[in-house]
Amino acid sequence: MVVEVKNLVKRYKELIALDHFNMEVEEGEILGLLGPNGCGKTTAINCILSLLNYDKGEIRVFGEKMTPNSYDIKREIGLVPQEVSVFENLTVIENTDYFCGLYIDDKNKRKQYVEEAIEFVGLKDYTKFYPKKLSGGLKRRLNIACGIAHKPKLIFLDEPTVAVDVQSRNFILNGIEKLNDEGSTIIYTTHYLEEAERLCKRIIIMDKGRGLVSGTNEELKSMISTSEKIVVGFTEIEDETVQNMKNILHVMDIEKAGEDYIIKFENGFNNLANLMNFIEENQLVYTKLQSQLPTLNDVFLELTGKELRD
Amino acid sequence: MTVYKYFIKIALKNKWTILGYTIIFFSMSLISGSGATEREPKFMETRLNIGIIDNSNSELSTGLKDYLEGKHNMVDTIDDEDYIKEQIFLERADAIIIIPEDFQEKVINKEKSIKIYNDDRKIESMQIQNQINKFLMFANATYEDGKFNLANVNLALREKAKVKLANNNREKNNSINNEWFRNYYNFTSYVIIAMYIAIIGMVMTDFTDENIDSRMKISSKKFLNFNMELYLGQLTIAAIITSIFILGSIVLKGKYIGEVDFIKYVINIIVFSFTILCFTFFINNFTKNKFVISGLATVLSLATSFISGVMVPQEFLGEKTLLLAKFFPTYYFVKVNGTTVNSFSDISFNIFMQLSFAVAFILMGLYFSKAKQKA
Ligand SMILES: Nc1ncnc2c1ncn2[C@@H]1O[C@H](COP(=O)(O)OP(=O)(O)OP(=O)(O)O)[C@@H](O)[C@H]1O
Ligand SMILES: [Mg+2]
């Protein structure tokens, strides 16, 4: 186990930011911490890294208790903080060298590491640029380079793609997969569920300082009762017919969304075929027919009664 | 030594601040240096025939009259423009001065107060204006609680005169050089305060920025080493700046170092420099706001220089001003520069006071940094 968090409680005065939060991270995996704004993702990371004092709980990293003086453990950890945290008065290469230098004393080794990190985030053409001359996306890449240049075994990335254009985002996500392929264990926080779905082997869904559920993508989706949604639009349909649709095998619920109907099915096969049969029998004419497998948003919705993103 | 290296690197990126203050400093010391020693004596010795019409009859106007009477021959005149012009044209008088009724008020409000008629053909008559200005400037510096301290003004003017009169002997050269070194080193206090806060203080805000600080805290760099490197960086920058000014005095007046207490000036500036470094430490623990810090650099350097006798000699400052000045190390720094040293005990108290301030600043800084950690 690379990281073990047990019953972590963190309060800011009245506000309970973490409420008996648990987390386990295994070597070599990408763990996603998924949750809405203010649910406690950053607080959890800061507690694990001993940046914050906590009220209760136990934190072990690489099997050892984490304290502010655990310098040997810290050497193996990299953080890409949520806020871009670099010197405005240093260039891309100077910034990377400075933060790498907080870990690596050997000059030659550091020079090589810094070059690799800059290459890795694709800032090779910008080494002499000051941060204020970089676009938002490039600044985020610099933020990443500063966090990973010392080749840590365990990397925390706190919403590294917020406010980033599509191109930079893909670049960053591919990079994270590459870091993982090279053997780093990764903890990735986000409130973009598509990112968590694409990137993470395992996901912890958080809300209000609590871990609601954890598991693989598939495990999480199988936990909820809705397993398939079919969106269908008709030229004309009578209320009675809609009522009858509920009798199709496995149908749980039907919602009207504008002109369309969302039909929710519980686990089962041939849902679409059964619906087609019903349409034929009732001689209905459809304008639209779409099957959707459940998303993590559905999971979140069912667990908390609200959407992950507003 | 990454932290040290980058501290220096960022500090030196403030090259315009460094260059700016250095240029201000050296042009000021060049201007004041050449002016004091060359221009004035040429006019000084000429006695002129002047007339004074005193419509004010106040303490201040009488003082001014006494001062001018000591320097020139008085001629009678009457308050009539045609008559005065005639007197000057016929060279019966070199200059006629008219002191207005509301003379004191105008001086206090720094308005132009005196009307002078002089003979343009006689270049010496120009010195009258200069002498009056000097008298009024000193008088204004002693103004406090609605009163001028004319005794102090006379003392100061006489002191200057003494320097001028001993024109040809070595002693005079000696005191002129001493005065130059004294003014030069006094003035360093202004740039040292301004530069340390503006450069070292600003660079420190970069390093103590919350986000950047977090990155340092989670790294495997030991906290103690990190701080040591930062302080070493500060000392280096302070040493560079101090050396520039010591070297500057050697370049400008190197051949006279033997005649003045050069070692005194050097020890004093090093002590002062260290004290201000401690002051910067205090400021950095007190605030991280860049605007506040750059404001402090400008305001504090000017204000403390003014009240401590850098701009106007301490003798001419009011008691209350000096009392206030005693709460900042510049006062003691200026005192040492103005002391003739026979043994170390002559300056030991004022050196001790500066070092006490250094300790106080460190303690205050630590207090604020602890207070912040708790919050
Ligand atoms: N220094 C602080 N003082 C008081 N409250 C804080 C502090 N930092 C965070 N909080 C509160 O703690 C809660 C959790 O914040 P946190 O930053 O961990 O959330 P997050 O999941 O990282 O959110 P986001 O997605 O917006 O980054 C929030 O309600 C926040 O307002
Ligand atoms: Mg956050």
Side-chain angles (χ1 to χ4, degrees):
Chain A
M1 210 67 72
V2 177
V3 181
E4 250 182 298
V5 177
K6 274 188 202 147
N7 286 324
L8 185 59
V9 176
K10 168 70 192 173
R11 279 175 300 200
Y12 295 108
K13 298 213 174 84
E14 304 292 291
L15 186 126
I16 302 171
L18 290 174
D19 183 1
H20 295 87
F21 177 71
N22 292 295
M23 180 169 115
E24 286 183 350
V25 186
E26 274 171 59
E27 192 172 344
E29 74 172 338
I30 303 184
L31 176 86
L33 271 183
L34 178 68
N37 287 124
C39 71
K41 304 182 289 290
T42 303
T43 305
I45 291 184
N46 287 347
C47 287
I48 296 171
L49 294 172
S50 283
L51 274 176
L52 282 175
N53 295 324
Y54 43 92
D55 298 276
K56 187 185 142 183
E58 205 181 305
I59 295 172
R60 302 179 83 80
V61 179
F62 297 121
E64 282 175 50
K65 194 170 164 14
M66 183 72 180
T67 70
N69 295 323
S70 310
Y71 292 112
D72 288 337
I73 301 179
K74 286 175 170 186
R75 194 179 308 276
E76 307 295 341
I77 300 179
L79 167 68
V80 176
Q82 183 166 4
E83 306 286 336
V84 175
S85 311
V86 296
F87 286 92
E88 285 300 325
N89 292 320
L90 293 180
T91 61
V92 165
I93 191 161
E94 289 169 340
N95 262 304
T96 317
D97 184 52
Y98 174 80
F99 290 111
C100 187
L102 295 177
Y103 298 84
I104 310 268
D105 288 325
D106 183 298
K107 260 193 181 147
N108 293 326
K109 192 169 164 192
R110 191 164 81 224
K111 188 159 180 277
Q112 182 203 334
Y113 278 18
V114 168
E115 268 169 27
E116 284 173 17
I118 288 176
E119 166 109 55
F120 181 81
V121 296
L123 286 178
K124 241 184 145 182
D125 296 336
Y126 300 90
T127 51
K128 295 260 154 55
F129 276 55
Y130 284 92
K132 64 171 174 291
K133 295 269 163 72
L134 295 177
S135 70
L138 296 186
K139 237 187 251 178
R140 291 240 155 229
R141 296 196 206 175
L142 170 61
N143 199 36
I144 295 175
C146 292
I148 58 144
H150 59 289
K151 299 200 188 295
K153 284 192 205 146
L154 171 63
I155 305 174
F156 292 82
L157 294 119
D158 197 353
E159 308 201 27
T161 58
V162 165
V164 156
D165 58 283
V166 183
Q167 193 197 354
S168 266
R169 169 189 290 216
N170 278 329
F171 191 92
I172 291 171
L173 294 182
N174 291 337
I176 292 167
E177 279 167 342
K178 216 159 84 194
L179 284 173
N180 182 241
D181 289 342
E182 287 165 9
S184 297
T185 307
I186 285 168
I187 295 170
Y188 185 92
T189 81
T190 181
H191 59 256
Y192 294 125
L193 42 101
E194 316 83 46
E195 285 187 2
E197 266 180 274
R198 166 179 160 186
L199 207 59
C200 303
K201 214 173 96 194
R202 233 157 37 82
I203 294 164
I204 296 179
I205 296 186
M206 287 184 78
D207 189 37
K208 293 183 183 147
R210 290 167 159 275
L212 296 178
V213 281
S214 81
T216 62
N217 214 336
E218 290 70 35
E219 280 169 352
L220 291 180
K221 284 172 189 169
S222 68
M223 268 177 212
I224 59 170
S225 43
T226 314
S227 73
E228 187 173 7
K229 280 193 293 192
I230 296 178
V231 181
V232 55
F234 300 103
T235 46
E236 210 178 355
I237 187 165
E238 290 180 6
D239 284 349
E240 205 192 315
T241 325
V242 175
Q243 285 306 316
N244 288 338
M245 262 200 292
K246 287 194 174 160
N247 298 327
I248 305 174
L249 193 63
H250 298 315
V251 167
M252 283 173 23
D253 191 22
I254 297 177
E255 264 174 36
K256 195 163 193 313
E259 295 296 296
D260 302 335
Y261 293 88
I262 301 171
I263 307 169
K264 296 185 181 173
F265 294 84
E266 56 186 30
N267 279 335
F269 298 101
N270 299 327
N271 293 331
L272 190 60
N274 293 343
L275 178 66
M276 290 304 287
N277 278 339
F278 180 85
I279 288 172
E280 222 162 89
E281 276 166 23
N282 291 277
Q283 295 180 336
L284 296 168
V285 180
Y286 62 86
T287 55
K288 180 177 185 181
L289 189 64
Q290 263 174 6
S291 167
Q292 293 177 345
L293 288 168
T295 64
L296 287 175
N297 192 36
D298 298 315
V299 179
F300 191 79
L301 183 66
E302 188 158 321
L303 290 170
T304 66
K306 62 186 184 199
E307 301 264 340
L308 188 53
R309 270 197 289 163
D310 17 54
Chain B
M1 294 298 275
T2 321
V3 178
Y4 174 76
K5 177 178 134 193
Y6 278 100
F7 183 91
I8 303 285
K9 209 165 200 169
I10 297 178
L12 293 183
K13 288 193 181 187
N14 288 295
K15 49 180 175 284
W16 295 116
T17 317
I18 301 180
L19 219 59
Y21 277 111
T22 312
I23 289 171
I24 291 178
F25 176 80
F26 283 110
S27 33
M28 295 281 284
S29 66
L30 282 177
I31 290 167
S32 70
S34 60
T37 48
E38 282 159 30
R39 207 178 312 124
E40 281 185 66
K42 218 165 79 191
F43 295 129
M44 262 313 159
E45 307 309 322
T46 335
R47 277 183 95 85
L48 302 171
N49 298 322
I50 65 169
I52 300 176
I53 294 164
D54 183 0
N55 293 325
S56 161
N57 269 322
S58 57
E59 195 196 347
L60 187 64
S61 71
T62 319
L64 175 62
K65 240 161 59 184
D66 289 346
Y67 168 62
L68 292 175
E69 269 174 24
K71 296 197 162 299
H72 306 285
N73 307 319
M74 289 295 132
V75 294
D76 289 330
T77 182
I78 50 174
D79 196 353
D80 174 272
E81 189 159 355
D82 289 339
Y83 182 83
I84 290 172
K85 283 189 172 159
E86 189 72 1
Q87 252 186 326
I88 288 190
F89 179 70
L90 296 174
E91 297 188 354
R92 280 190 216 125
D94 297 313
I96 304 287
I97 332 173
I98 301 176
I99 302 175
E101 245 173 278
D102 52 355
F103 178 50
Q104 296 219 25
E105 285 158 49
K106 280 195 164 153
V107 171
I108 293 162
N109 296 329
K110 302 204 168 67
E111 288 169 36
K112 196 166 161 35
S113 49
I114 291 191
K115 187 156 177 61
I116 302 178
Y117 295 91
N118 59 351
D119 190 343
D120 294 338
R121 295 164 298 181
K122 254 192 163 165
I123 190 86
E124 294 94 320
S125 70
M126 304 290 259
Q127 67 174 295
I128 296 287
Q129 180 74 59
N130 193 36
Q131 286 166 348
I132 293 174
N133 286 349
K134 199 190 303 176
F135 178 88
L136 294 181
M137 187 186 86
F138 285 160
N140 245 334
T142 68
Y143 183 73
E144 196 174 71
D145 290 340
K147 268 207 196 124
F148 296 97
N149 187 341
L150 292 183
N152 267 354
V153 176
N154 283 327
L155 196 76
L157 290 167
R158 220 177 306 133
E159 202 131 274
K160 288 238 159 187
K162 232 193 285 167
V163 172
K164 307 270 146 55
L165 284 175
N167 206 347
N168 291 320
N169 59 29
R170 233 182 88 79
E171 212 162 85
K172 181 246 166 179
N173 252 333
N174 223 341
S175 47
I176 282 192
N177 286 324
N178 235 328
E179 196 175 296
W180 185 89
F181 274 92
R182 175 184 170 174
N183 287 337
Y184 177 95
Y185 277 95
N186 276 350
F187 199 60
T188 57
S189 70
Y190 162 69
V191 269
I192 282 179
I193 296 173
M195 281 169 103
Y196 284 16
I197 303 179
I199 299 164
I200 297 176
M202 277 302 196
V203 178
M204 282 305 286
T205 61
D206 281 355
F207 279 88
T208 53
D209 170 271
E210 208 178 312
N211 289 330
I212 286 176
D213 192 45
S214 303
R215 278 205 137 139
M216 187 280 294
K217 281 192 186 136
I218 63 146
S219 77
S220 59
K221 184 101 193 167
K222 291 205 172 73
F223 190 59
L224 189 69
N225 296 350
F226 173 80
N227 279 326
M228 294 283 280
E229 288 185 32
L230 278 189
Y231 294 133
L232 204 58
Q234 299 187 3
L235 274 176
T236 308
I237 295 296
I240 292 174
I241 294 175
T242 310
S243 309
I244 291 178
F245 294 130
I246 296 176
L247 276 177
S249 73
I250 295 175
V251 169
L252 292 172
K253 293 270 170 178
K255 44 183 172 176
Y256 303 114
I257 347 184
E259 294 170 21
V260 300
D261 300 323
F262 187 65
I263 300 294
K264 169 193 79 176
Y265 291 118
V266 171
I267 292 176
N268 196 27
I269 196 178
I270 290 173
V271 170
F272 181 74
S273 171
F274 174 73
T275 307
I276 298 305
L277 198 55
C278 297
F279 181 65
T280 313
F281 170 80
F282 161 64
I283 300 262
N284 275 124
N285 281 301
F286 178 72
T287 177
K288 283 183 182 167
N289 186 315
K290 281 184 194 269
F291 292 105
V292 173
I293 289 181
S294 79
L296 283 176
T298 324
V299 173
L300 273 178
S301 56
L302 269 178
T304 55
S305 301
F306 192 80
I307 63 168
S308 308
V310 173
M311 310 288 181
V312 182
Q314 283 185 350
E315 298 89 283
F316 311 133
L317 294 167
E319 255 173 58
K320 280 185 191 148
T321 314
L322 285 177
L323 188 67
L324 186 66
K326 285 180 184 163
F327 289 95
F328 202 76
T330 311
Y331 174 85
Y332 306 93
F333 173 70
V334 170
K335 274 263 185 241
V336 173
N337 287 337
T339 308
T340 318
V341 184
N342 295 312
S343 73
F344 180 69
S345 60
D346 295 335
I347 53 168
S348 56
F349 172 74
N350 290 315
I351 295 280
F352 167 78
M353 283 308 288
Q354 293 180 59
L355 292 174
S356 308
F357 271 99
V359 173
F361 290 142
I362 292 177
L363 291 178
M364 272 152 59
L366 288 175
Y367 171 78
F368 277 105
S369 92
K370 282 268 152 22
K372 222 176 286 159
Q373 271 170 20
K374 265 189 206 140

